Amino acid sequence: MLRALAAAGLFLLSLAASAQVASPYAIEHPPWFAHSFLDLREDIADATRDGKRLLLYFGQDGCPYCARLMQTNFTQRPIVDKARQHFVVIAINIWGDREVTWVDGTRLGEKAFARQLGIQFTPTLVFFDEKGNIALRLNGYYPPRRFEAALDYVAGRMESRHAFGEYLKGVVKDEASPTLHAEPFFLPPARSLARQPGGKPLAVLFETPYCSACDEMHREGFQRPEVRAELSKVDIARFALGELDQWVRALKILYTPSIVFFDAQGREVFRTEAYLRPFHLAGAFAYVSSGAYLKEPSFQRFLQARAEHMREQGKTVDLWK
Protein backbone atom coordinates (compact mmCIF):
# COMPACT_ATOMS: atom_id res chain seq x y z
CA MET A 1 0.00 0.00 0.00
CA LEU A 2 1.43 3.32 -1.05
CA ARG A 3 2.22 5.64 1.86
CA ALA A 4 3.60 8.72 0.16
CA LEU A 5 3.05 11.35 2.83
CA ALA A 6 2.41 14.97 1.95
CA ALA A 7 4.56 16.63 4.61
CA ALA A 8 2.51 19.80 4.64
CA GLY A 9 -0.64 17.82 5.32
CA LEU A 10 0.32 15.53 8.17
CA PHE A 11 -2.27 15.61 10.89
CA LEU A 12 -1.61 13.02 13.59
CA LEU A 13 -4.79 11.68 15.08
CA SER A 14 -2.95 10.84 18.26
CA LEU A 15 -2.39 14.57 18.76
CA ALA A 16 -5.87 15.61 17.72
CA ALA A 17 -7.11 16.42 21.19
CA SER A 18 -4.26 18.82 21.92
CA ALA A 19 -3.01 20.06 18.55
CA GLN A 20 -6.16 20.28 16.45
CA VAL A 21 -7.21 23.79 15.54
CA ALA A 22 -10.73 24.33 16.78
CA SER A 23 -13.30 25.39 14.24
CA PRO A 24 -16.61 27.08 15.05
CA TYR A 25 -18.16 25.25 12.10
CA ALA A 26 -18.24 21.71 10.86
CA ILE A 27 -16.21 21.35 7.67
CA GLU A 28 -18.65 21.34 4.79
CA HIS A 29 -18.20 19.06 1.82
CA PRO A 30 -18.95 20.12 -1.76
CA PRO A 31 -22.58 19.52 -2.71
CA TRP A 32 -21.53 17.09 -5.45
CA PHE A 33 -20.08 14.58 -2.96
CA ALA A 34 -22.14 11.39 -3.24
CA HIS A 35 -24.75 10.33 -0.70
CA SER A 36 -24.38 6.65 0.10
CA PHE A 37 -25.67 3.85 2.32
CA LEU A 38 -21.94 3.05 2.73
CA ASP A 39 -22.13 -0.45 1.30
CA LEU A 40 -18.80 -0.19 -0.50
CA ARG A 41 -19.52 -3.26 -2.63
CA GLU A 42 -22.50 -1.44 -4.15
CA ASP A 43 -20.64 1.87 -4.39
CA ILE A 44 -17.76 0.27 -6.30
CA ALA A 45 -20.16 -1.58 -8.59
CA ASP A 46 -22.16 1.59 -9.29
CA ALA A 47 -19.00 3.59 -9.97
CA THR A 48 -17.67 0.89 -12.29
CA ARG A 49 -20.94 0.78 -14.21
CA ASP A 50 -20.61 4.53 -14.84
CA GLY A 51 -16.96 4.26 -15.89
CA LYS A 52 -15.77 5.84 -12.64
CA ARG A 53 -13.84 4.80 -9.56
CA LEU A 54 -14.65 5.10 -5.88
CA LEU A 55 -12.80 7.68 -3.78
CA LEU A 56 -13.22 7.69 0.00
CA TYR A 57 -12.35 10.87 1.85
CA PHE A 58 -11.56 10.36 5.54
CA GLY A 59 -11.84 13.57 7.55
CA GLN A 60 -12.94 15.12 10.79
CA ASP A 61 -14.41 18.43 11.91
CA GLY A 62 -11.86 20.99 13.07
CA CYS A 63 -9.03 19.52 10.97
CA PRO A 64 -7.21 22.46 9.32
CA TYR A 65 -5.85 20.32 6.49
CA CYS A 66 -9.31 18.97 5.71
CA ALA A 67 -10.48 22.58 5.54
CA ARG A 68 -7.58 23.37 3.19
CA LEU A 69 -8.57 20.46 0.96
CA MET A 70 -12.15 21.72 0.74
CA GLN A 71 -11.36 25.44 0.49
CA THR A 72 -8.33 25.26 -1.81
CA ASN A 73 -8.36 22.07 -3.88
CA PHE A 74 -12.09 21.56 -4.23
CA THR A 75 -12.70 25.16 -5.27
CA GLN A 76 -10.53 24.97 -8.39
CA ARG A 77 -12.58 24.14 -11.44
CA PRO A 78 -10.12 21.76 -13.19
CA ILE A 79 -9.90 19.64 -10.04
CA VAL A 80 -13.65 19.71 -9.47
CA ASP A 81 -14.35 18.77 -13.09
CA LYS A 82 -11.93 15.82 -13.00
CA ALA A 83 -13.20 14.59 -9.66
CA ARG A 84 -16.81 14.67 -10.81
CA GLN A 85 -16.06 13.11 -14.19
CA HIS A 86 -13.92 10.21 -13.00
CA PHE A 87 -14.85 9.47 -9.39
CA VAL A 88 -17.67 8.85 -6.98
CA VAL A 89 -16.52 10.71 -3.86
CA ILE A 90 -17.88 9.67 -0.46
CA ALA A 91 -16.98 11.25 2.87
CA ILE A 92 -16.20 9.15 5.95
CA ASN A 93 -16.08 10.76 9.39
CA ILE A 94 -13.31 9.04 11.34
CA TRP A 95 -15.27 9.64 14.55
CA GLY A 96 -18.66 8.84 13.01
CA ASP A 97 -21.09 6.05 13.88
CA ARG A 98 -22.67 5.26 10.52
CA GLU A 99 -22.40 1.64 9.50
CA VAL A 100 -19.96 0.84 6.68
CA THR A 101 -20.02 -2.46 4.78
CA TRP A 102 -16.50 -3.35 3.68
CA VAL A 103 -15.76 -5.13 0.39
CA ASP A 104 -15.68 -8.53 2.16
CA GLY A 105 -19.11 -7.95 3.70
CA THR A 106 -17.84 -7.01 7.16
CA ARG A 107 -19.95 -4.33 8.82
CA LEU A 108 -18.25 -1.72 10.98
CA GLY A 109 -18.98 1.73 12.34
CA GLU A 110 -17.05 4.58 10.74
CA LYS A 111 -14.63 4.80 13.69
CA ALA A 112 -13.86 1.08 13.59
CA PHE A 113 -13.62 1.16 9.80
CA ALA A 114 -11.07 3.97 9.93
CA ARG A 115 -9.07 2.00 12.49
CA GLN A 116 -9.20 -1.14 10.35
CA LEU A 117 -7.71 0.76 7.41
CA GLY A 118 -5.03 2.23 9.66
CA ILE A 119 -6.11 5.83 9.09
CA GLN A 120 -3.59 7.92 11.01
CA PHE A 121 -3.90 11.26 9.26
CA THR A 122 -6.70 13.52 8.08
CA PRO A 123 -7.39 14.07 5.35
CA THR A 124 -6.70 10.61 3.97
CA LEU A 125 -8.00 9.77 0.51
CA VAL A 126 -8.34 6.16 -0.59
CA PHE A 127 -8.95 5.34 -4.26
CA PHE A 128 -10.36 1.92 -5.20
CA ASP A 129 -10.13 -0.01 -8.43
CA GLU A 130 -12.98 -1.95 -9.99
CA LYS A 131 -12.25 -5.08 -7.91
CA GLY A 132 -12.24 -3.29 -4.59
CA ASN A 133 -8.46 -3.13 -4.29
CA ILE A 134 -6.78 0.07 -3.17
CA ALA A 135 -5.31 1.76 -6.24
CA LEU A 136 -3.81 4.72 -4.37
CA ARG A 137 -3.83 6.17 -0.90
CA LEU A 138 -2.96 9.76 -0.05
CA ASN A 139 -2.12 10.31 3.61
CA GLY A 140 -2.34 13.99 4.46
CA TYR A 141 -2.97 17.11 2.44
CA TYR A 142 -1.62 17.37 -1.11
CA PRO A 143 -1.47 20.85 -2.71
CA PRO A 144 -3.61 21.26 -5.83
CA ARG A 145 -1.06 20.42 -8.54
CA ARG A 146 -0.01 17.21 -6.81
CA PHE A 147 -3.59 16.38 -5.96
CA GLU A 148 -4.69 16.87 -9.55
CA ALA A 149 -1.83 14.61 -10.63
CA ALA A 150 -3.17 11.94 -8.26
CA LEU A 151 -6.61 12.21 -9.87
CA ASP A 152 -5.04 11.80 -13.32
CA TYR A 153 -2.97 8.84 -12.12
CA VAL A 154 -5.95 6.88 -10.80
CA ALA A 155 -8.38 7.94 -13.53
CA GLY A 156 -5.82 6.76 -16.09
CA ARG A 157 -5.50 3.32 -14.40
CA MET A 158 -1.75 3.88 -14.11
CA GLU A 159 -1.22 2.09 -10.79
CA SER A 160 -0.27 -1.16 -12.54
CA ARG A 161 2.30 0.58 -14.76
CA HIS A 162 4.01 3.23 -12.62
CA ALA A 163 4.74 3.84 -8.96
CA PHE A 164 2.92 6.99 -7.96
CA GLY A 165 6.06 8.66 -6.59
CA GLU A 166 7.87 8.26 -9.91
CA TYR A 167 4.83 9.40 -11.85
CA LEU A 168 4.55 12.48 -9.66
CA LYS A 169 8.15 13.49 -10.30
CA GLY A 170 7.55 13.36 -14.03
CA VAL A 171 4.37 15.42 -14.20
CA VAL A 172 4.60 18.03 -11.44
CA LYS A 173 7.33 20.45 -12.46
CA ASP A 174 6.45 23.36 -10.23
CA GLU A 175 4.01 24.31 -7.50
CA ALA A 176 1.66 27.24 -7.26
CA SER A 177 2.54 29.91 -4.71
CA PRO A 178 2.02 28.80 -1.09
CA THR A 179 1.24 32.41 -0.10
CA LEU A 180 -1.22 35.03 -1.27
CA HIS A 181 0.04 37.83 -3.50
CA ALA A 182 0.04 41.43 -2.27
CA GLU A 183 -1.07 44.23 -4.59
CA PRO A 184 -0.78 48.01 -4.07
CA PHE A 185 -4.41 48.57 -5.04
CA PHE A 186 -5.86 46.33 -2.31
CA LEU A 187 -7.67 48.11 0.50
CA PRO A 188 -5.86 47.93 3.85
CA PRO A 189 -7.09 44.99 5.96
CA ALA A 190 -8.61 47.27 8.62
CA ARG A 191 -10.49 49.41 6.09
CA SER A 192 -14.28 49.32 6.36
CA LEU A 193 -16.06 47.88 3.34
CA ALA A 194 -19.18 49.96 3.95
CA ARG A 195 -20.19 51.94 0.87
CA GLN A 196 -20.91 55.65 0.82
CA PRO A 197 -23.54 57.27 -1.46
CA GLY A 198 -21.85 58.29 -4.68
CA GLY A 199 -18.74 56.29 -3.84
CA LYS A 200 -16.93 53.71 -5.92
CA PRO A 201 -18.26 50.19 -6.40
CA LEU A 202 -16.55 47.51 -4.34
CA ALA A 203 -14.87 44.40 -5.74
CA VAL A 204 -14.06 41.64 -3.25
CA LEU A 205 -11.52 39.09 -4.44
CA PHE A 206 -11.53 35.65 -2.84
CA GLU A 207 -8.52 33.43 -3.43
CA THR A 208 -6.39 30.77 -1.78
CA PRO A 209 -2.75 29.73 -1.59
CA TYR A 210 -1.64 27.03 -4.05
CA CYS A 211 -4.00 28.41 -6.69
CA SER A 212 -2.27 28.51 -10.08
CA ALA A 213 -5.15 30.48 -11.62
CA CYS A 214 -4.72 33.07 -8.85
CA ASP A 215 -0.98 33.21 -9.58
CA GLU A 216 -1.64 33.83 -13.27
CA MET A 217 -4.19 36.53 -12.53
CA HIS A 218 -1.62 38.43 -10.44
CA ARG A 219 1.31 37.70 -12.74
CA GLU A 220 -0.43 38.55 -16.00
CA GLY A 221 -3.94 39.95 -15.66
CA PHE A 222 -3.34 42.55 -12.97
CA GLN A 223 -0.16 43.75 -14.69
CA ARG A 224 -1.81 44.70 -17.99
CA PRO A 225 -2.26 48.48 -18.49
CA GLU A 226 -5.82 48.02 -19.75
CA VAL A 227 -6.70 46.05 -16.62
CA ARG A 228 -4.95 48.51 -14.30
CA ALA A 229 -6.94 51.35 -15.85
CA GLU A 230 -10.20 49.63 -14.86
CA LEU A 231 -8.99 48.64 -11.39
CA SER A 232 -8.57 52.30 -10.46
CA LYS A 233 -12.32 52.84 -10.83
CA VAL A 234 -13.33 50.51 -7.99
CA ASP A 235 -12.27 49.77 -4.43
CA ILE A 236 -10.75 46.29 -4.17
CA ALA A 237 -10.59 44.13 -1.05
CA ARG A 238 -8.98 40.70 -0.92
CA PHE A 239 -9.65 37.81 1.44
CA ALA A 240 -8.43 34.25 1.68
CA LEU A 241 -11.28 31.81 1.24
CA GLY A 242 -10.90 30.54 4.81
CA GLU A 243 -11.56 34.01 6.25
CA LEU A 244 -14.98 35.44 7.07
CA ASP A 245 -16.60 32.01 6.91
CA GLN A 246 -20.16 33.20 7.53
CA TRP A 247 -19.97 35.76 4.74
CA VAL A 248 -18.33 33.28 2.36
CA ARG A 249 -21.11 30.81 3.11
CA ALA A 250 -23.77 33.43 2.50
CA LEU A 251 -22.15 34.40 -0.81
CA LYS A 252 -21.80 30.72 -1.80
CA ILE A 253 -18.22 31.09 -2.98
CA LEU A 254 -17.21 27.76 -4.54
CA TYR A 255 -14.24 28.51 -6.79
CA THR A 256 -11.05 30.55 -6.69
CA PRO A 257 -10.33 33.11 -7.79
CA SER A 258 -13.80 34.62 -7.41
CA ILE A 259 -14.54 38.35 -7.58
CA VAL A 260 -17.83 39.65 -6.18
CA PHE A 261 -18.87 43.18 -7.13
CA PHE A 262 -21.09 45.40 -4.98
CA ASP A 263 -22.72 48.71 -5.88
CA ALA A 264 -22.66 51.91 -3.81
CA GLN A 265 -25.56 50.57 -1.73
CA GLY A 266 -23.66 47.40 -0.86
CA ARG A 267 -25.74 45.12 -3.08
CA GLU A 268 -24.10 42.36 -5.09
CA VAL A 269 -24.48 43.17 -8.77
CA PHE A 270 -22.06 40.82 -10.53
CA ARG A 271 -19.43 38.15 -9.93
CA THR A 272 -16.77 36.18 -11.76
CA GLU A 273 -15.65 32.67 -10.84
CA ALA A 274 -12.26 31.19 -11.79
CA TYR A 275 -9.58 32.94 -13.79
CA LEU A 276 -10.39 35.24 -16.71
CA ARG A 277 -8.01 36.24 -19.46
CA PRO A 278 -7.03 39.95 -19.36
CA PHE A 279 -9.64 41.15 -21.87
CA HIS A 280 -12.45 39.54 -19.87
CA LEU A 281 -10.93 40.61 -16.55
CA ALA A 282 -10.80 44.26 -17.63
CA GLY A 283 -14.30 43.87 -19.06
CA ALA A 284 -15.69 42.58 -15.77
CA PHE A 285 -14.44 45.63 -13.88
CA ALA A 286 -15.66 47.97 -16.64
CA TYR A 287 -19.07 46.28 -16.69
CA VAL A 288 -19.61 47.29 -13.06
CA SER A 289 -17.71 50.59 -12.80
CA SER A 290 -19.46 52.04 -15.87
CA GLY A 291 -22.89 50.98 -14.64
CA ALA A 292 -23.42 49.01 -17.86
CA TYR A 293 -24.89 46.12 -15.88
CA LEU A 294 -27.93 48.31 -15.15
CA LYS A 295 -28.82 48.52 -18.85
CA GLU A 296 -27.32 45.34 -20.27
CA PRO A 297 -28.01 42.22 -18.18
CA SER A 298 -25.87 40.04 -20.46
CA PHE A 299 -22.15 40.29 -19.70
CA GLN A 300 -21.35 38.48 -22.94
CA ARG A 301 -23.27 41.03 -24.97
CA PHE A 302 -21.47 43.80 -23.11
CA LEU A 303 -18.13 42.21 -24.00
CA GLN A 304 -19.12 41.89 -27.64
CA ALA A 305 -20.07 45.57 -27.81
CA ARG A 306 -16.89 46.54 -25.96
CA ALA A 307 -14.74 44.56 -28.39
CA GLU A 308 -16.50 46.07 -31.40
CA HIS A 309 -16.04 49.59 -30.04
CA MET A 310 -12.33 48.94 -29.50
CA ARG A 311 -11.96 47.65 -33.07
CA GLU A 312 -13.70 50.75 -34.41
CA GLN A 313 -11.02 52.77 -32.62
CA GLY A 314 -8.35 50.79 -34.47
CA LYS A 315 -7.34 48.71 -31.45
CA THR A 316 -6.48 45.04 -31.74
CA VAL A 317 -8.73 42.78 -29.69
CA ASP A 318 -7.49 39.31 -28.81
CA LEU A 319 -9.75 37.50 -26.36
CA TRP A 320 -7.02 35.03 -25.42
CA LYS A 321 -4.16 37.43 -24.74
Side-chain angles (χ1 to χ4, degrees):
M1 182 182 298
L2 183 62
R3 294 184 179 274
L5 302 181
L10 298 184
F11 190 73
L12 290 171
L13 300 185
S14 61
L15 299 179
S18 59
Q20 179 171 304
V21 177
S23 171
Y25 303 106
I27 295 172
E28 292 186 351
H29 307 138
W32 48 266
F33 270 33
H35 297 282
S36 167
F37 292 109
L38 300 183
D39 186 329
L40 301 188
R41 300 167 301 180
E42 294 182 357
D43 293 326
I44 290 171
D46 291 343
T48 300
R49 184 188 63 243
D50 294 333
K52 300 181 179 183
R53 286 181 148 183
L54 177 65
L55 167 55
L56 293 185
Y57 154 75
F58 291 84
Q60 60 177 318
D61 293 339
C63 162
Y65 299 108
C66 302
R68 175 63 63 87
L69 178 69
M70 299 303 156
Q71 295 170 356
T72 299
N73 297 35
F74 282 139
T75 59
Q76 297 189 28
R77 195 176 295 275
I79 289 177
V80 173
D81 289 346
K82 287 182 180 181
R84 298 186 70 174
Q85 180 180 355
H86 298 294
F87 299 95
V88 173
V89 186
I90 297 173
I92 300 291
N93 182 347
I94 63 165
W95 306 119
D97 295 315
R98 294 180 301 167
E99 185 178 84
V100 180
T101 302
W102 183 226
V103 293
D104 63 0
T106 303
R107 295 180 179 180
L108 300 166
E110 288 173 286
K111 291 193 294 287
F113 178 57
R115 286 197 301 269
Q116 177 171 301
L117 265 63
I119 304 298
Q120 295 289 343
F121 311 97
T122 56
T124 289
L125 295 107
V126 182
F127 300 78
F128 293 85
D129 68 15
E130 291 74 11
K131 296 181 179 180
N133 300 313
I134 294 176
L136 179 66
R137 174 170 168 159
L138 301 180
N139 297 305
Y141 172 71
Y142 274 53
R145 289 177 65 85
R146 293 176 179 270
F147 184 74
E148 187 174 0
L151 297 180
D152 290 336
Y153 177 82
V154 181
R157 277 71 174 169
M158 298 183 191
E159 68 274 6
S160 62
R161 305 195 301 272
H162 307 285
F164 178 62
E166 293 301 316
Y167 171 80
L168 199 59
K169 291 179 183 178
V171 298
V172 178
K173 302 300 183 183
D174 61 285
E175 290 286 357
S177 172
T179 59
L180 299 179
H181 299 269
E183 296 289 358
F185 47 79
F186 287 158
L187 293 175
R191 174 79 175 270
S192 171
L193 301 185
R195 300 292 86 195
Q196 300 296 327
K200 292 181 179 180
L202 172 68
V204 181
L205 167 63
F206 295 94
E207 52 185 344
T208 62
Y210 298 108
C211 169
S212 58
C214 302
D215 290 347
E216 186 177 344
M217 179 178 63
H218 287 273
R219 182 179 63 248
E220 185 173 351
F222 284 159
Q223 304 310 313
R224 295 288 187 90
E226 65 271 26
V227 176
R228 284 290 184 117
E230 299 300 335
L231 298 181
S232 65
K233 301 173 185 177
V234 302
D235 288 333
I236 306 174
R238 191 275 303 282
F239 297 99
L241 199 58
E243 300 179 76
L244 305 176
D245 275 352
Q246 285 185 305
W247 194 32
V248 169
R249 289 165 182 266
L251 291 174
K252 298 181 179 179
I253 303 297
L254 297 177
Y255 300 100
T256 56
S258 286
I259 306 174
V260 183
F261 295 87
F262 299 87
D263 64 12
Q265 286 71 47
R267 297 173 299 203
E268 179 182 346
V269 295
F270 185 61
R271 70 168 61 190
T272 68
E273 295 180 321
Y275 175 68
L276 299 178
R277 297 297 299 166
F279 172 79
H280 296 83
L281 184 61
F285 280 88
Y287 185 55
V288 175
S289 66
S290 68
Y293 68 91
L294 295 170
K295 299 179 181 179
E296 176 51 78
S298 170
F299 179 53
Q300 293 303 316
R301 289 197 180 97
F302 168 79
L303 287 178
Q304 291 170 2
R306 178 178 170 86
E308 185 60 31
H309 179 67
M310 292 172 64
R311 293 187 181 102
E312 290 174 353
Q313 294 179 320
K315 298 179 180 179
T316 300
V317 177
D318 190 328
L319 303 183
W320 298 103
K321 293 185 178 179

